[in-house]
Amino acid sequence: MVPSAAARASIALVCSLVLAAPAWGANGHFVHGVGAVSSSMGGAGVAVDDSPLAALYLNPALLAELEGHEVELNIELVEADPSVESTVPTPGGPFTGRSEDESDLSVLPSFGWVRGTRDGGRLAFGMGALALAGFGTDYPQDPGNPVLAPQPQGFGGVFSSYKLMRLPFAAAWQVTPQLALGASINGGYATLTATPFGGAVPDCSGPTTCFFPSLQEDSVFGVGAQVGVLWRPSAAWSFGASYASETRFEEFAWNTTVANPNLPSFGTAREARFRLDAPASAVIGLGWRPNERLTVALDGRWIGFESTEGFAGGVDPATGAARGLGWEDIVVIALGAEYQVTPRLAVRAGWNQAEQAIPPQSAFGNVASPALFEDHLTLGLGFRAYQALELNLGYWHAFASEVTGPIPSPAGPVPGASVTHEMSADAVLATFSFSL
């Protein structure tokens, strides 16, 4: 069902205020955890009932273990440091250049509300707005770096911003004291800006003289679903699993102009279209709580980029437009622990290890969309200021990782030419948790 014009305008206004800067993902283009509790435990928690935001993201069945009304507000500040280096052969020897990204600090806010079970009830409900995924770059045009040389020799200046928000509407049922089931309908809102945009049909005046158009921001809506299960065979052990379907979005559509100054149609109106869905994912994990103070969580996650529209690879030979970003499926391992030092103070730590979504053969096509994070160290603490208010803080560091791949041509990879992306990142989070 397509929202009315008024509804679309209202939702777009709210989401544009929430998603005020490019988001940087940590597992592919997804954040590894939503909220300071989940993030500081390495994103682990599909079987641990520590946070409404984590439940809405990882496993809706966890809602059944929350009591009363709970509201969480989260803000995450991310500082990423990507760079791109390229090399091409010349008669005088290799020509190599390196450029640093000039993007600003990214801001990722999230909100969650849960009505948990209480007084013997078995049903729980929740909803939220989760800043879930994204990527963005801001590379200046650089004649000293072949890949950023002016078009048509290179891409020229590259600016991109993709932002994805999930809007879950979830419910959980406590089937027995040991078993809970959950499900959610996940609305989606996404925006995409790209200058230039390699997913559009290029404007060519010759085999090697092609210009790609620049596109302003467009927004789309989508829908998906999620199911989850939580099983507690004993007081100390819990097992959880969830599956989130692919979120299918409308097609992005932009009004732009012919970009090639060598064509007689230069500057005239044209349209560009592209569809970028959110991939399916599956999580399975366990929780161990041997006493009231210590909690340990271990999760394994799969994210299916390869078969997702917009992420699958390849180039349309008839038009020269990229069919997708050429990402691969990835597996993520997350491990986290929490220790309750006092009734008011908790400390947390975690580790998150993800496979790279961008294979070497796709490095050239992801100058605007690097998603290179692999190893993350996470830390955090929680402080209960009052019975009804808890402040949780988190920090994570993504260690530098890189990918190098060839520069393609119609005749195959250019001998001696390559593109290398490198990226590291740091982030801080603050989550305010209210019990009503």
Side-chain angles (χ1 to χ4, degrees), residues 223-234:
V223 64
Q226 188 173 13
V227 294
V229 61
L230 178 68
W231 178 48
R232 288 194 178 277
S234 69

Side-chain angles (χ1 to χ4, degrees), residues 307-329:
S307 60
T308 302
E309 186 77 22
F311 286 100
V315 174
D316 187 341
T319 64
R323 290 196 175 108
L325 298 174
W327 290 15
E328 295 182 339
D329 296 353

Side-chain angles (χ1 to χ4, degrees), residues 46-47 238-241 283-287 298-300:
V46 73
S238 58
F239 298 86
V283 190
I284 187 169
L286 59 86
L298 175 64
D299 287 3

